[in-house]
């Protein structure tokens, strides 16, 4: 399975906490794009795609959601629910996001610019592609 959970260092003191994300340091690729997802709903799934050539790190800055990760052979479910844990997803991994908590905010760091032609949005096409 081409994914891993990365514990990010927290700089915390009496003022609060801070996490820093840096290309080729705690983020294992050059960051070309950042986007975030908010105003999600518990009964609305997202994702349902794979990337042919994109790496990402996803962080639940606030709230929680459940990821289904699938490499075509194995399927695993994990909860993302900490602002100091990054979910790294490599290439050719089918991902689904379910069970968003109200107010969940996901921040995504991506290794490349948005390119719809690089998405695989049909699960059967994904299985054929790997
Ligand atoms: P979509 O891929 O459906 O989001 P998710 O994977 O979270 O379910 O993207 C929603 C819309 O936003 C879709 O029209 C494509 C657009 N979009 C961009 O224009 N740029 C981006 O960087 C991303 C991630 C999506």
């Amino acid at each position: 399975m081409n994914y891993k959970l990365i514990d990010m260092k927290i700089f915390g003191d009496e003022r609060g906490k801070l996490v820093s994300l840096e290309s080729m340091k705690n983020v294992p690729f050059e960051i070309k794009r950042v986007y975030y997802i908010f105003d999600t709903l518990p009964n609305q799934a997202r994702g349902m795609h794979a990337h042919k050539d994109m790496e990402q790190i996803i962080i639940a800055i606030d709230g929680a959601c459940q990821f289904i990760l699938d490499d075509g052979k194995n399927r695993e479910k994990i909860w993302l629910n900490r602002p100091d844990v990054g979910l790294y997803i490599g290439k050719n991994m089918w991902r689904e996001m379910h069970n968003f908590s109200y107010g969940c905010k996901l921040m995504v760091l991506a290794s490349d610019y948005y390119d719809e032609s690089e998405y695989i949005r049909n699960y059967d096409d994904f299985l054929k592609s790997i």
Side-chain angles (χ1 to χ4, degrees), residues 20-56:
S20 170
L21 304 165
E22 295 180 294
S23 294
M24 308 312 293
K25 291 189 175 176
N26 54 354
V27 174
F29 52 79
E30 294 287 350
I31 302 162
K32 282 205 181 153
R33 177 167 54 109
V34 177
Y35 63 93
Y36 49 92
I37 296 171
F38 59 103
D39 274 355
T40 53
L41 290 171
N43 58 351
Q44 294 288 339
R46 300 194 65 115
M48 320 298 211
H49 65 253
H51 290 287
K52 294 177 198 166
D53 197 23
M54 174 109 62
E55 298 168 274
Q56 295 186 325

Side-chain angles (χ1 to χ4, degrees), residues 1 68-76 93-94 123 126:
M1 293 286 264
I68 292 177
L69 297 158
D70 183 330
D71 66 0
K73 293 195 180 89
N74 298 297
R75 176 166 275 236
E76 293 178 15
M93 287 286 292
W94 184 263
Y123 188 72
F126 167 65

Side-chain angles (χ1 to χ4, degrees), residues 41-126:
L41 290 171
N43 58 351
Q44 294 288 339
R46 300 194 65 115
M48 320 298 211
H49 65 253
H51 290 287
K52 294 177 198 166
D53 197 23
M54 174 109 62
E55 298 168 274
Q56 295 186 325
I57 284 196
I58 305 161
I59 299 171
I61 296 293
D62 196 11
C65 80
Q66 194 171 39
F67 271 77
I68 292 177
L69 297 158
D70 183 330
D71 66 0
K73 293 195 180 89
N74 298 297
R75 176 166 275 236
E76 293 178 15
K77 282 186 184 178
I78 61 159
W79 280 98
L80 206 58
N81 54 12
R82 293 179 58 113
D84 61 330
V85 172
L87 169 61
Y88 168 83
I89 308 180
K91 299 170 188 179
N92 289 313
M93 287 286 292
W94 184 263
R95 85 284 313 269
E96 301 178 8
M97 291 107 96
H98 297 271
N99 296 316
F100 285 93
S101 63
Y102 283 103
C104 174
K105 292 168 192 70
L106 295 184
M107 185 175 72
V108 185
L109 314 177
S111 65
D112 216 334
Y113 302 114
Y114 174 72
D115 174 8
E116 185 59 37
S117 70
E118 180 277 331
Y119 279 66
I120 305 173
R121 292 195 183 267
N122 176 283
Y123 188 72
D124 289 334
D125 291 344
F126 167 65

